[in-house]
């Protein structure tokens, strides 16, 4: 094996497990789930959480090895195979995190509003073992979500940097799905609605909602 590959693999491994997740959070202050490694049963979960923290981003999470492997995708996923979306690998999250929608208190790690933007199941296409498939640093995967479907590619381009790309199939499109489908798949809420319901920063959350809502509100005044 080439030394470069070894280095890359060991760096990836250092973010796996839930110790980093636990270290970054005070579970007396945040409503996020405490770390717990659980063996999932049945098909592998995936979730995309829209997160208005310091900046708006989409957290792409894949169940593998009893936790959620996680990437922060600043621009969100694209259905257009020509768009390569940067996905920065972050620490593993507990499986229960897949259902977290609400606010993380300001001042805490990731403070802001979190939405379950998409969810469903995933499967690696070339290696049935998801941990091994991800360790290769380049994989094709099938997503079966409510918004994201079909064949995708996830490729590591060095250290924490990965690219998330749609592959050409019947689900590929030039539609900007982050704009056309901005709401929670669980509750149909926008970020501002979630912040309002949970007593969060509504104005900050609203900056992650589509501009059309602002235009409508302005027209009503
Ligand atoms: Mn995040």
């Amino acid at each position: 094996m080439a030394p470069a590959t070894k280095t890359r693999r060991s760096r990836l491994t250092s973010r796996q497990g839930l110790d980093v997740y636990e270290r970054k959070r005070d579970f007396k202050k945040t409503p996020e789930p405490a770390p717990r490694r659980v063996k999932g049963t049945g098909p592998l979960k995936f979730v995309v959480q829209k997160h208005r923290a310091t900046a708006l981003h989409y957290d792409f999470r894949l169940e593998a090895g009893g936790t959620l492997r996680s990437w922060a995708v600043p621009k969100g996923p694209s259905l257009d195979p020509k768009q390569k979306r940067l996905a920065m690998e972050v620490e593993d999250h507990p499986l229960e995190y897949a259902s977290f929608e609400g606010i993380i208190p300001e001042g805490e790690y990731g403070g802001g509003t979190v939405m379950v933007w998409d969810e469903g199941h995933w499967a690696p296409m070339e290696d049935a073992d998801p941990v091994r498939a991800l360790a290769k640093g380049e994989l094709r995967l099938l997503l079966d979500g409510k918004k994201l479907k079909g064949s995708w590619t996830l490729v590591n381009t060095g250290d924490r940097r990965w690219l998330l790309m749609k592959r050409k199939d019947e689900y590929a499109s030039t539609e900007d799905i982050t704009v056309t489908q901005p709401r929670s798949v669980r509750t149909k809420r926008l970020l501002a609605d979630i912040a309002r319901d949970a007593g969060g920063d509504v104005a900050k959350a609203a900056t992650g909602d589509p501009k059309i809502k602002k235009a409508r509100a302005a027209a009503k005044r």
Side-chain angles (χ1 to χ4, degrees), residues 143-154:
L143 296 182
D144 183 16
K146 298 199 173 84
K147 295 174 181 171
L148 306 182
K149 292 175 188 294
S151 176
W152 295 70
T153 298
L154 192 56

Side-chain angles (χ1 to χ4, degrees), residues 84-102:
K84 297 175 165 67
R85 290 291 155 90
L86 174 67
M88 294 298 286
E89 189 172 17
V90 297
E91 74 275 16
D92 286 2
H93 281 50
L95 279 184
E96 296 103 305
Y97 206 95
S99 58
F100 179 74
E101 180 170 281

Side-chain angles (χ1 to χ4, degrees), residues 124-176:
M125 292 176 77
E126 284 132 0
D127 189 327
D129 179 341
V131 174
R132 212 165 49 201
L134 285 161
K136 285 175 186 157
E138 178 168 0
L139 71 158
R140 280 204 285 158
L141 57 155
L142 277 175
L143 296 182
D144 183 16
K146 298 199 173 84
K147 295 174 181 171
L148 306 182
K149 292 175 188 294
S151 176
W152 295 70
T153 298
L154 192 56
V155 56
N156 182 240
T157 61
D159 196 27
R160 298 169 53 205
R161 297 170 67 91
W162 296 64
L163 294 172
L164 177 65
M165 291 162 283
K166 184 75 192 81
R167 293 177 69 86
K168 284 184 192 165
D169 63 14
E170 69 265 42
Y171 301 108
S173 164
T174 54
E175 169 194 337
D176 185 347

Side-chain angles (χ1 to χ4, degrees), residues 49-68:
Q49 281 157 317
K50 187 174 171 179
H51 184 188
R52 177 62 174 88
T54 310
L56 179 71
H57 60 275
Y58 293 74
D59 289 302
F60 182 74
R61 310 191 197 278
L62 301 174
E63 178 182 354
T67 63
L68 293 170

